[in-house]
């Protein structure tokens, strides 16, 4: 099978195309002919070697978490040969930048019928991060005031659509060039982050830091007395930010860190919202698997809405 591999950590140029053996499946698993994947920030961190204590690097390593494709062989009664599925592998271990992959039932669900394989592959990791951040960690209710930072990025734009669907008033932060898109996806109020501050008198029941730039100490004055702060990374822009976030995680009980995990039932909930037209996938640009390097470079260097997809 064709796959994009790395044999060393480094810049986007480290990707190489290779022919690898088709993996074999065990009981409970399925073999999927992968039609598409996408690039998430965590993929770029793995490629750079910033997760090397977890991933190591021995021989040929295939990155990528998101996938969407067709079941070619099944040892799981829930999925038949020919089933169209979508889902995510481990965000750190990867395996999705390849023509074929093996997945467990928990990693996937049936692909939403009304979108393409490419659109479906843009959803799983960011969709599950948004769902788990809002619903599981954030305990989001209806008729709340929710602030979503980075509301037009991969996680943020899904979070806006979910929060609006459940009847919340949503304020989002984004760049001026993305403000129109923020309005299109349903944000009630928009704060241009490099020009405006969060109004001092405004407080929120839930702050979802989809940008990963903040910790609760940065925004605690904007929380109600019972409000929760949920972040995807927690001040990860600098070493100082990481230290501050770690301290806050210990002492600030209202701060939660969402660590996304594959979840078949939640992928089903996302699929229902997509098929109902509640969540509309946003693919900013699509690259071929052979051009994975430029795809990673775009994620690292450019400002865009939604996701960067990879066709396989």
């Amino acid at each position: 099978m064709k796959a994009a591999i790395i044999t060393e950590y480094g810049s986007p140029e480290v990707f190489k195309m290779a022919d690898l053996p088709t993996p074999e499946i065990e009981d409970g698993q399925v073999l999927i002919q992968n039609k598409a994947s996408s690039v998430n920030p965590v993929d770029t961190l793995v490629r750079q070697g910033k997760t090397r204590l977890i991933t190591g690097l021995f021989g040929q390593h295939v990155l990528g978490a998101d996938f969407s494709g067709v079941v070619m062989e099944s040892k799981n009664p829930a999925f038949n040969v020919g089933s169209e599925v979508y889902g995510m592998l481990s965000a750190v271990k990867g395996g999705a930048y390849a023509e074929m992959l093996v997945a467990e039932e928990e990693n996937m669900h049936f692909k939403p019928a009304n979108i393409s394989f490419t659109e479906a592959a843009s959803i799983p990791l960011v969709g599950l991060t948004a769902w788990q951040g809002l619903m599981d960690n954030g305990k989001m209710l209806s008729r709340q005031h929710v602030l979503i930072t980075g509301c037009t990025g991969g996680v943020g734009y899904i979070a806006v659509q979910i929060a609006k669907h459940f009847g919340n008033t949503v304020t989002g932060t984004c760049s001026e060039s993305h403000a129109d898109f923020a309005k299109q996806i349903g944000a009630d109020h928009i704060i241009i982050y490099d020009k405006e501050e969060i109004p001092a008198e405004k407080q929120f029941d839930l702050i979802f830091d989809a940008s990963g730039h903040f910790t609760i100490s940065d925004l605690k004055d904007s929380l109600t007395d019972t409000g929760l702060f949920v972040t995807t990374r927690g001040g990860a822009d600098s070493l100082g930010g990481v230290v501050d976030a770690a301290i806050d995680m210990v002492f600030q009980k209202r701060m939660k860190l969402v660590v996304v995990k594959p979840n078949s039932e939640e992928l089903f909930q996302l699929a229902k919202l997509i098929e109902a037209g509640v969540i509309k996938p946003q693919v900013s640009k699509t690259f071929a698997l052979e051009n994975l390097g430029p795809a990673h470079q775009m994620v690292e260097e450019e400002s865009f809405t939604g996701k960067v997809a990879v066709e396989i």
Side-chain angles (χ1 to χ4, degrees), residues 13-312:
E13 287 76 21
V14 298
F15 284 109
K16 304 173 183 177
M17 295 304 299
D19 287 317
L20 303 182
T22 298
E24 297 182 357
I25 62 172
E26 301 176 354
D27 287 345
Q29 297 179 331
V30 300
L31 178 68
I32 297 168
Q33 181 182 12
N34 196 20
K35 300 288 189 180
S37 185
S38 74
V39 182
N40 295 290
V42 66
D43 303 326
T44 69
L45 297 177
V46 175
R47 192 208 72 238
Q48 293 167 15
K50 294 182 178 179
T51 62
R52 70 179 69 218
L53 292 179
I54 301 172
T55 56
L57 183 61
F58 302 96
Q60 301 172 332
H61 190 62
V62 180
L63 277 60
D66 291 322
F67 65 85
S68 181
V70 179
V71 175
M72 302 302 290
E73 184 181 351
S74 177
K75 292 185 178 180
N76 187 306
F79 298 93
N80 299 321
V81 172
S83 295
E84 296 183 349
V85 296
Y86 83 129
M88 64 167 284
L89 303 175
S90 164
V92 174
K93 294 180 180 179
Y97 292 162
E99 286 183 316
M100 308 292 285
L101 60 88
V102 174
E104 309 276 351
E105 183 172 343
E106 190 66 8
N107 294 104
M108 60 187 172
H109 207 277
F110 298 107
K111 180 183 80 68
N114 61 331
I115 60 174
S116 68
F117 285 108
T118 301
E119 290 172 319
S122 75
I123 293 292
L125 187 144
V126 295
L128 287 174
T129 302
W131 184 275
Q132 292 168 15
L134 293 172
M135 309 297 281
D136 300 340
N137 296 96
K139 311 299 181 186
M140 186 180 69
L141 304 173
S142 61
R143 295 185 298 279
Q144 289 187 322
H145 290 276
V146 180
L147 172 65
I148 299 173
T149 68
C151 75
T152 59
V155 174
Y157 94 98
I158 299 289
V160 170
Q161 295 175 88
I162 292 173
K164 284 301 298 179
H165 172 68
F166 285 100
N168 296 285
T169 300
V170 177
T171 299
T173 71
C174 64
S175 66
E176 188 170 16
S177 61
H178 296 166
D180 287 343
F181 177 69
K183 294 176 184 176
Q184 291 172 17
I185 59 176
D188 298 288
H189 309 287
I190 298 168
I191 297 172
I192 307 302
Y193 65 82
D194 56 349
K195 291 186 176 182
E196 304 174 72
E197 299 289 339
I198 298 171
E201 72 281 0
K202 184 65 176 176
Q203 290 189 315
F204 300 91
D205 304 295
L206 172 61
I207 296 177
F208 183 42
D209 174 32
S211 71
H213 294 165
F214 301 100
T215 184
I216 191 171
S217 295
D218 302 317
L219 299 174
K220 62 182 179 181
D221 291 340
S222 297
L223 278 175
T224 63
D225 291 341
T226 58
L228 293 176
F229 176 88
V230 180
T231 184
T232 55
R233 285 192 290 172
D237 284 348
S238 65
L239 178 60
V242 172
V243 172
D244 289 342
I247 293 172
D248 280 343
M249 285 295 296
V250 174
F251 295 103
Q252 300 283 351
K253 301 305 181 185
R254 293 192 294 157
M255 177 174 171
K256 308 294 181 182
L257 175 66
V258 58
V259 180
V260 64
K261 297 178 181 178
N263 187 300
S264 181
E265 172 59 28
E266 291 174 346
L267 285 168
F268 171 56
Q269 296 299 328
L270 291 170
K272 289 199 300 183
L273 294 180
I274 292 168
E275 290 179 338
V278 172
I279 295 176
K280 297 178 175 63
Q282 169 75 4
V283 175
S284 183
K285 190 170 183 178
T286 302
F287 293 81
L289 184 63
E290 293 80 1
N291 292 324
L292 194 53
H296 268 236
Q297 187 171 2
M298 179 175 173
V299 170
E300 289 178 344
E301 298 179 0
E302 298 185 26
S303 176
F304 55 90
T305 60
K307 291 292 299 292
V308 168
V310 179
E311 288 187 345
I312 299 173

